mmCIF file of all heavy atoms in Angstrom:
data_model
loop_
_atom_site.group_PDB
_atom_site.id
_atom_site.type_symbol
_atom_site.label_atom_id
_atom_site.label_comp_id
_atom_site.label_asym_id
_atom_site.label_seq_id
_atom_site.Cartn_x
_atom_site.Cartn_y
_atom_site.Cartn_z
ATOM 1 N N PHE A 1 -15.921 -9.519 10.408
ATOM 2 C CA PHE A 1 -14.862 -9.112 9.488
ATOM 3 C C PHE A 1 -15.516 -8.670 8.190
ATOM 4 O O PHE A 1 -16.691 -8.962 7.949
ATOM 5 C CB PHE A 1 -13.871 -10.253 9.221
ATOM 6 C CG PHE A 1 -14.493 -11.446 8.539
ATOM 7 C CD1 PHE A 1 -14.559 -11.517 7.157
ATOM 8 C CD2 PHE A 1 -15.033 -12.484 9.285
ATOM 9 C CE1 PHE A 1 -15.148 -12.600 6.526
ATOM 10 C CE2 PHE A 1 -15.627 -13.572 8.656
ATOM 11 C CZ PHE A 1 -15.673 -13.626 7.278
ATOM 12 N N THR A 2 -14.785 -7.951 7.378
ATOM 13 C CA THR A 2 -15.251 -7.564 6.048
ATOM 14 C C THR A 2 -14.176 -7.918 5.036
ATOM 15 O O THR A 2 -12.986 -8.018 5.367
ATOM 16 C CB THR A 2 -15.554 -6.061 5.960
ATOM 17 O OG1 THR A 2 -14.335 -5.321 6.137
ATOM 18 C CG2 THR A 2 -16.565 -5.637 7.024
ATOM 19 N N LEU A 3 -14.590 -8.095 3.784
ATOM 20 C CA LEU A 3 -13.629 -8.377 2.721
ATOM 21 C C LEU A 3 -12.649 -7.226 2.542
ATOM 22 O O LEU A 3 -11.462 -7.441 2.304
ATOM 23 C CB LEU A 3 -14.369 -8.652 1.414
ATOM 24 C CG LEU A 3 -15.259 -9.896 1.369
ATOM 25 C CD1 LEU A 3 -15.958 -9.996 0.029
ATOM 26 C CD2 LEU A 3 -14.443 -11.151 1.645
ATOM 27 N N ALA A 4 -13.155 -6.003 2.657
ATOM 28 C CA ALA A 4 -12.281 -4.842 2.502
ATOM 29 C C ALA A 4 -11.216 -4.813 3.600
ATOM 30 O O ALA A 4 -10.039 -4.529 3.337
ATOM 31 C CB ALA A 4 -13.104 -3.562 2.535
ATOM 32 N N ASP A 5 -11.609 -5.125 4.831
ATOM 33 C CA ASP A 5 -10.634 -5.150 5.929
ATOM 34 C C ASP A 5 -9.591 -6.250 5.716
ATOM 35 O O ASP A 5 -8.393 -6.045 5.960
ATOM 36 C CB ASP A 5 -11.350 -5.367 7.259
ATOM 37 C CG ASP A 5 -12.111 -4.137 7.717
ATOM 38 O OD1 ASP A 5 -11.808 -3.038 7.214
ATOM 39 O OD2 ASP A 5 -13.015 -4.279 8.567
ATOM 40 N N LEU A 6 -10.040 -7.417 5.269
ATOM 41 C CA LEU A 6 -9.101 -8.504 5.015
ATOM 42 C C LEU A 6 -8.093 -8.123 3.940
ATOM 43 O O LEU A 6 -6.898 -8.419 4.051
ATOM 44 C CB LEU A 6 -9.863 -9.766 4.610
ATOM 45 C CG LEU A 6 -10.696 -10.453 5.708
ATOM 46 C CD1 LEU A 6 -11.485 -11.605 5.104
ATOM 47 C CD2 LEU A 6 -9.812 -10.937 6.841
ATOM 48 N N ALA A 7 -8.580 -7.460 2.882
ATOM 49 C CA ALA A 7 -7.680 -7.047 1.805
ATOM 50 C C ALA A 7 -6.681 -6.011 2.306
ATOM 51 O O ALA A 7 -5.488 -6.063 1.971
ATOM 52 C CB ALA A 7 -8.495 -6.495 0.638
ATOM 53 N N ASP A 8 -7.146 -5.055 3.107
ATOM 54 C CA ASP A 8 -6.257 -4.020 3.641
ATOM 55 C C ASP A 8 -5.211 -4.617 4.579
ATOM 56 O O ASP A 8 -4.035 -4.234 4.557
ATOM 57 C CB ASP A 8 -7.062 -2.947 4.370
ATOM 58 C CG ASP A 8 -7.894 -2.096 3.424
ATOM 59 O OD1 ASP A 8 -7.584 -2.097 2.215
ATOM 60 O OD2 ASP A 8 -8.842 -1.439 3.888
ATOM 61 N N ASP A 9 -5.631 -5.560 5.419
ATOM 62 C CA ASP A 9 -4.690 -6.184 6.347
ATOM 63 C C ASP A 9 -3.618 -6.972 5.594
ATOM 64 O O ASP A 9 -2.424 -6.916 5.938
ATOM 65 C CB ASP A 9 -5.438 -7.117 7.306
ATOM 66 C CG ASP A 9 -6.317 -6.362 8.291
ATOM 67 O OD1 ASP A 9 -6.126 -5.132 8.431
ATOM 68 O OD2 ASP A 9 -7.212 -6.985 8.890
ATOM 69 N N ALA A 10 -4.048 -7.705 4.568
ATOM 70 C CA ALA A 10 -3.085 -8.479 3.790
ATOM 71 C C ALA A 10 -2.125 -7.562 3.044
ATOM 72 O O ALA A 10 -0.924 -7.849 2.928
ATOM 73 C CB ALA A 10 -3.814 -9.386 2.804
ATOM 74 N N ALA A 11 -2.633 -6.430 2.535
ATOM 75 C CA ALA A 11 -1.775 -5.487 1.819
ATOM 76 C C ALA A 11 -0.749 -4.865 2.753
ATOM 77 O O ALA A 11 0.404 -4.649 2.376
ATOM 78 C CB ALA A 11 -2.631 -4.396 1.175
ATOM 79 N N ALA A 12 -1.166 -4.578 3.999
ATOM 80 C CA ALA A 12 -0.243 -3.973 4.960
ATOM 81 C C ALA A 12 0.898 -4.923 5.293
ATOM 82 O O ALA A 12 2.045 -4.499 5.500
ATOM 83 C CB ALA A 12 -0.998 -3.573 6.222
ATOM 84 N N GLU A 13 0.601 -6.229 5.337
ATOM 85 C CA GLU A 13 1.629 -7.206 5.671
ATOM 86 C C GLU A 13 2.622 -7.418 4.534
ATOM 87 O O GLU A 13 3.753 -7.855 4.771
ATOM 88 C CB GLU A 13 0.971 -8.540 6.037
ATOM 89 C CG GLU A 13 0.144 -8.485 7.322
ATOM 90 C CD GLU A 13 -0.556 -9.795 7.602
ATOM 91 O OE1 GLU A 13 -0.345 -10.746 6.813
ATOM 92 O OE2 GLU A 13 -1.304 -9.879 8.596
ATOM 93 N N HIS A 14 2.205 -7.153 3.292
ATOM 94 C CA HIS A 14 3.057 -7.396 2.126
ATOM 95 C C HIS A 14 3.308 -6.094 1.359
ATOM 96 O O HIS A 14 3.414 -6.096 0.134
ATOM 97 C CB HIS A 14 2.417 -8.432 1.198
ATOM 98 C CG HIS A 14 2.260 -9.776 1.821
ATOM 99 N ND1 HIS A 14 1.242 -10.071 2.712
ATOM 100 C CD2 HIS A 14 2.993 -10.920 1.701
ATOM 101 C CE1 HIS A 14 1.342 -11.342 3.083
ATOM 102 N NE2 HIS A 14 2.390 -11.866 2.503
ATOM 103 N N ARG A 15 3.407 -5.006 2.063
ATOM 104 C CA ARG A 15 3.557 -3.709 1.430
ATOM 105 C C ARG A 15 4.931 -3.561 0.807
ATOM 106 O O ARG A 15 5.953 -3.838 1.450
ATOM 107 C CB ARG A 15 3.323 -2.594 2.446
ATOM 108 C CG ARG A 15 3.406 -1.199 1.852
ATOM 109 C CD ARG A 15 3.102 -0.145 2.899
ATOM 110 N NE ARG A 15 3.202 1.193 2.348
ATOM 111 C CZ ARG A 15 3.002 2.304 3.048
ATOM 112 N NH1 ARG A 15 2.686 2.214 4.344
ATOM 113 N NH2 ARG A 15 3.124 3.481 2.479
ATOM 114 N N LEU A 16 4.971 -3.120 -0.439
ATOM 115 C CA LEU A 16 6.230 -2.850 -1.121
ATOM 116 C C LEU A 16 6.775 -1.498 -0.678
ATOM 117 O O LEU A 16 6.031 -0.636 -0.212
ATOM 118 C CB LEU A 16 6.015 -2.845 -2.641
ATOM 119 C CG LEU A 16 5.589 -4.170 -3.265
ATOM 120 C CD1 LEU A 16 5.360 -3.978 -4.761
ATOM 121 C CD2 LEU A 16 6.630 -5.249 -3.023
ATOM 122 N N PRO A 17 8.069 -1.296 -0.808
ATOM 123 C CA PRO A 17 8.638 0.016 -0.456
ATOM 124 C C PRO A 17 8.002 1.129 -1.278
ATOM 125 O O PRO A 17 7.616 0.934 -2.439
ATOM 126 C CB PRO A 17 10.127 -0.149 -0.801
ATOM 127 C CG PRO A 17 10.363 -1.630 -0.790
ATOM 128 C CD PRO A 17 9.090 -2.258 -1.244
ATOM 129 N N ASP A 18 7.860 2.289 -0.671
ATOM 130 C CA ASP A 18 7.299 3.427 -1.387
ATOM 131 C C ASP A 18 8.210 3.819 -2.553
ATOM 132 O O ASP A 18 9.442 3.724 -2.451
ATOM 133 C CB ASP A 18 7.145 4.629 -0.448
ATOM 134 C CG ASP A 18 6.082 4.397 0.615
ATOM 135 O OD1 ASP A 18 5.168 3.603 0.355
ATOM 136 O OD2 ASP A 18 6.189 5.005 1.709
ATOM 137 N N PRO A 19 7.614 4.250 -3.678
ATOM 138 C CA PRO A 19 8.449 4.670 -4.815
ATOM 139 C C PRO A 19 9.225 5.931 -4.489
ATOM 140 O O PRO A 19 8.863 6.694 -3.593
ATOM 141 C CB PRO A 19 7.417 4.918 -5.926
ATOM 142 C CG PRO A 19 6.145 5.212 -5.199
ATOM 143 C CD PRO A 19 6.178 4.380 -3.945
ATOM 144 N N ALA A 20 10.282 6.140 -5.241
ATOM 145 C CA ALA A 20 11.095 7.344 -5.037
ATOM 146 C C ALA A 20 10.260 8.583 -5.362
ATOM 147 O O ALA A 20 9.459 8.563 -6.310
ATOM 148 C CB ALA A 20 12.328 7.294 -5.930
ATOM 149 N N PRO A 21 10.405 9.658 -4.592
ATOM 150 C CA PRO A 21 9.620 10.872 -4.857
ATOM 151 C C PRO A 21 9.985 11.500 -6.197
ATOM 152 O O PRO A 21 11.130 11.414 -6.655
ATOM 153 C CB PRO A 21 9.995 11.797 -3.689
ATOM 154 C CG PRO A 21 11.321 11.289 -3.205
ATOM 155 C CD PRO A 21 11.307 9.815 -3.432
ATOM 156 N N LEU A 22 8.992 12.116 -6.830
ATOM 157 C CA LEU A 22 9.212 12.773 -8.122
ATOM 158 C C LEU A 22 9.774 14.169 -7.912
ATOM 159 O O LEU A 22 9.493 14.836 -6.915
ATOM 160 C CB LEU A 22 7.888 12.869 -8.883
ATOM 161 C CG LEU A 22 7.221 11.553 -9.287
ATOM 162 C CD1 LEU A 22 5.856 11.841 -9.908
ATOM 163 C CD2 LEU A 22 8.084 10.776 -10.255
ATOM 164 N N SER A 23 10.566 14.604 -8.871
ATOM 165 C CA SER A 23 11.058 15.974 -8.853
ATOM 166 C C SER A 23 9.916 16.926 -9.209
ATOM 167 O O SER A 23 8.872 16.504 -9.730
ATOM 168 C CB SER A 23 12.200 16.144 -9.847
ATOM 169 O OG SER A 23 11.720 15.956 -11.181
ATOM 170 N N ASP A 24 10.100 18.205 -8.950
ATOM 171 C CA ASP A 24 9.080 19.197 -9.306
ATOM 172 C C ASP A 24 8.811 19.194 -10.805
ATOM 173 O O ASP A 24 7.665 19.330 -11.246
ATOM 174 C CB ASP A 24 9.516 20.593 -8.847
ATOM 175 C CG ASP A 24 9.496 20.725 -7.329
ATOM 176 O OD1 ASP A 24 8.834 19.909 -6.667
ATOM 177 O OD2 ASP A 24 10.159 21.648 -6.819
ATOM 178 N N GLU A 25 9.868 19.027 -11.578
ATOM 179 C CA GLU A 25 9.707 18.992 -13.043
ATOM 180 C C GLU A 25 8.898 17.775 -13.472
ATOM 181 O O GLU A 25 8.015 17.869 -14.337
ATOM 182 C CB GLU A 25 11.075 18.975 -13.715
ATOM 183 C CG GLU A 25 11.009 18.959 -15.239
ATOM 184 C CD GLU A 25 12.386 18.940 -15.877
ATOM 185 O OE1 GLU A 25 13.389 18.956 -15.127
ATOM 186 O OE2 GLU A 25 12.453 18.918 -17.121
ATOM 187 N N ALA A 26 9.192 16.638 -12.834
ATOM 188 C CA ALA A 26 8.452 15.418 -13.174
ATOM 189 C C ALA A 26 6.989 15.541 -12.759
ATOM 190 O O ALA A 26 6.096 15.068 -13.469
ATOM 191 C CB ALA A 26 9.098 14.212 -12.506
#
């Protein structure tokens, strides 16, 4: 295992919803 893999796996399990998309102006 690697620390980077452990961090990625933990992040995938606790992933927050994606933010709302920005408008073209934003």
Side-chain angles (χ1 to χ4, degrees):
F1 63 88
T2 65
L3 295 178
D5 287 341
L6 290 175
D8 290 341
D9 291 344
E13 294 177 3
H14 297 78
R15 182 177 179 181
L16 295 178
D18 292 334
L22 296 174
S23 65
D24 290 341
E25 181 180 359

